[in-house]
Amino acid sequence: MLVVRAIHSSDLDALIDLARQVGSGMTTLKPDRKMLGDRVSVAVASFAETIPPEQRDYMFVMEDTTSGRLAGVCAIKGAVGLDEPFYNYRIGTLVHSSRELDVFTRMDTLYLSNDLTGATELCSLFLHPDYRSGNNGKWLSKSRFLFIAQFPHLFTAKLIAEMRGYQAEDGSSPFYEGLGRHFFKMDFNHVDHLTAMGKKSFIAELMPRQPLYVAYLPESAQEVIGKVHLSTAPARRLLEQEGMHFEGYVDIFDAGPVLQARVSELRAMRDSTVATVDAGATPTDTDPLLVSNTKLNDFRMIVAHANPVSGKLALTPDEQALLHCQGGDTVRTLSLNVRKNVHV
Ligand SMILES: CC(C)(COP(=O)(O)OP(=O)(O)OC[C@H]1O[C@@H](n2cnc3c(N)ncnc32)[C@H](O)[C@@H]1OP(=O)(O)O)[C@@H](O)C(=O)NCCC(=O)NCCSC(=O)CCC(=O)O
Ligand SMILES: NC(=[NH2+])NCCC[C@H](N)C(=O)O
């Protein structure tokens, strides 16, 4: 059986194993013991509320309770860019126009920005290929929306997610090869590694300061602006189902899109509901329903097949055990699929 739960210190070795499978461009999930160890410590302090909300990094794992193996990971950072700068390119427009010659040119431009400073970030979504079946990917990604809906006071009004950008078959980034390489003089993986380790001052030192005309870039770089890595397409779709969208910000290295939403406009904020666990009733077989407990320090979430009726939700003893809850406890629910919602 699977459960999504708050990470524990004892998950570190398994997390490093998982990170080894991820591949390049996942800046926040490198198989580096120091980096992930520090992150897990911050995550444990985040769930225990011993550090301020803007410093928190809530990491969740999907655990296969039968084998004890970690199937996947995902995270929410309370706020980005408050202790090290957070850079993006904003795609803008410059118009060059001459009435006399009847020429009107509209040019796409890239502006280096720190506009998304302070936003809450969804990141680090990875499901081991062995577990990519059924509803597992959706469940893992969407667990974070249920968490935000349960604890909205811990997050900022704006939510973002930086998606892994497009890579060619040989793993190179056409956007980086067309732009970044001229300035950084090193491979994409090396700059991604430096960024991951928090060594970001080189960006301000080496990045071009002036706005760039997109038309000056090689075609191969222009074509991939705002495009995701092939294995990131499902991740993008899942976030878009929940109300996130592209608003013209891209990654400075690989031009992967940044998705954004106002927290108040997320589907989970609108449609998730609370219910009381009814330990006596038998669940009926219905569409998959995300169900979480309501404990910050021991957050756990499952997919159940039951509908809340009159504010009560029937859960089996196994489901209650997975959620660390019992009859009479409060849980939060959200339909897994977008089209249908459950109203109590
Ligand atoms: C992202 C996940 C966890 C998703 O799991 P699965 O692959 O099992 O997902 P799935 O259920 O098969 O697909 C989810 C939805 O995407 C649709 N889908 C599948 N392939 C698609 C494609 N090529 N283009 C568009 N949509 C696609 C499916 O039909 C389904 O939509 P319907 O509901 O309509 O059926 C996994 O693919 C993964 O670990 N990827 C590699 C790591 C990665 O790139 N992670 C994201 C990095 S970026 C990041 O971490 C920030 C973002 C974040 O944290 O969320
Ligand atoms: N465009 C990029 N490569 N962004 C890197 C971030 C990818 C993903 N958000 C992560 O958590 O690691």
Side-chain angles (χ1 to χ4, degrees):
M1 281 184 290
L2 295 171
V3 65
V4 171
R5 61 162 172 80
I7 203 164
H8 303 150
S9 308
S10 54
D11 292 320
L12 181 59
D13 287 335
L15 182 67
I16 295 169
D17 279 347
L18 208 53
R20 286 203 183 95
Q21 310 284 321
V22 173
S24 75
M26 274 294 271
T27 320
T28 61
L29 217 53
K30 304 284 178 204
D32 181 284
R33 179 167 290 274
K34 166 87 175 77
M35 176 204 169
L36 288 182
D38 288 351
R39 242 192 121 186
V40 171
S41 304
V42 171
V44 169
S46 302
F47 289 110
E49 296 206 90
T50 55
I51 53 176
E54 65 277 10
Q55 288 173 19
R56 295 187 194 168
D57 183 355
Y58 303 93
M59 295 184 84
F60 306 91
V61 289
M62 179 178 267
E63 181 191 340
D64 184 338
T65 57
T66 319
S67 59
R69 186 176 165 196
L70 290 193
V73 57
C74 62
I76 315 171
K77 290 190 181 183
V80 293
L82 298 183
D83 54 6
E84 54 189 16
F86 190 79
Y87 293 99
N88 289 105
Y89 272 132
R90 178 171 61 79
I91 304 174
T93 306
L94 275 177
V95 170
H96 298 253
S97 157
S98 164
R99 222 178 258 275
E100 198 182 326
L101 301 181
D102 194 23
V103 174
F104 184 94
T105 321
R106 192 190 155 115
M107 303 286 281
D108 280 344
T109 44
L110 296 175
Y111 292 89
L112 192 60
S113 96
N114 300 121
D115 292 356
L116 303 178
T117 301
T120 291
E121 184 191 21
L122 299 181
C123 60
S124 311
L125 177 68
F126 180 72
L127 182 61
H128 192 285
D130 290 354
Y131 288 89
R132 283 184 207 165
S133 62
N135 290 321
N136 297 348
K138 280 186 194 178
W139 170 4
L140 182 62
S141 173
K142 297 187 179 193
S143 58
R144 298 168 297 178
F145 292 97
L146 216 56
F147 187 79
I148 292 172
Q150 181 60 33
F151 307 107
H153 57 284
L154 299 178
F155 303 103
T156 61
K158 186 184 281 191
L159 182 66
I160 63 160
E162 284 197 298
M163 311 305 292
R164 197 147 60 126
Y166 184 85
Q167 292 181 4
E169 266 176 33
D170 63 0
S172 64
S173 157
F175 184 79
Y176 182 77
E177 293 306 319
L179 175 58
R181 181 173 290 279
H182 294 294
F183 299 92
F184 296 113
K185 310 276 186 207
M186 57 181 101
D187 285 347
F188 172 72
N189 280 332
H190 193 185
V191 295
D192 193 45
H193 181 78
L194 290 173
T195 316
M197 299 305 139
K199 295 186 179 140
K200 290 193 177 175
S201 53
F202 77 97
I203 299 175
E205 288 157 9
L206 297 179
M207 208 65 191
R209 287 165 196 84
Q210 290 73 25
L212 304 167
Y213 286 96
V214 171
Y216 290 1
L217 295 174
E219 286 274 337
S220 54
Q222 292 186 34
E223 279 166 8
V224 301
I225 295 175
K227 275 180 84 176
V228 291
H229 190 284
L230 288 183
S231 42
T232 301
R236 177 178 190 163
R237 173 145 176 87
L238 293 171
L239 298 184
E240 287 175 341
Q241 288 173 351
E242 298 305 312
M244 300 191 71
H245 48 266
F246 178 54
E247 286 190 24
Y249 287 90
V250 296
D251 184 83
I252 55 171
F253 299 123
D254 64 16
V258 179
L259 301 189
Q260 303 184 50
R262 296 192 68 73
V263 165
S264 58
E265 289 168 7
L266 295 172
R267 180 177 77 104
M269 293 297 286
R270 213 176 45 238
D271 291 351
S272 72
T273 52
V274 286
T276 307
V277 176
D278 188 344
T282 315
T284 46
D285 197 18
T286 62
D287 287 341
L289 183 73
L290 295 168
V291 185
S292 78
N293 69 20
T294 52
K295 300 177 219 172
L296 176 63
N297 61 359
D298 184 27
F299 183 80
R300 298 173 74 89
M301 202 188 74
I302 60 166
V303 171
H305 289 267
N307 259 343
V309 178
S310 309
K312 295 203 161 179
L313 182 72
L315 291 177
T316 64
D318 278 349
E319 289 170 337
Q320 294 169 48
L322 284 171
L323 283 175
H324 288 182
C325 71
Q326 54 194 17
D329 285 350
T330 304
V331 289
R332 182 168 287 271
T333 71
L334 178 71
S335 59
L336 185 70
N337 293 314
V338 179
R339 50 192 169 15
K340 198 163 159 255
N341 185 50
V342 180
H343 288 287
V344 188

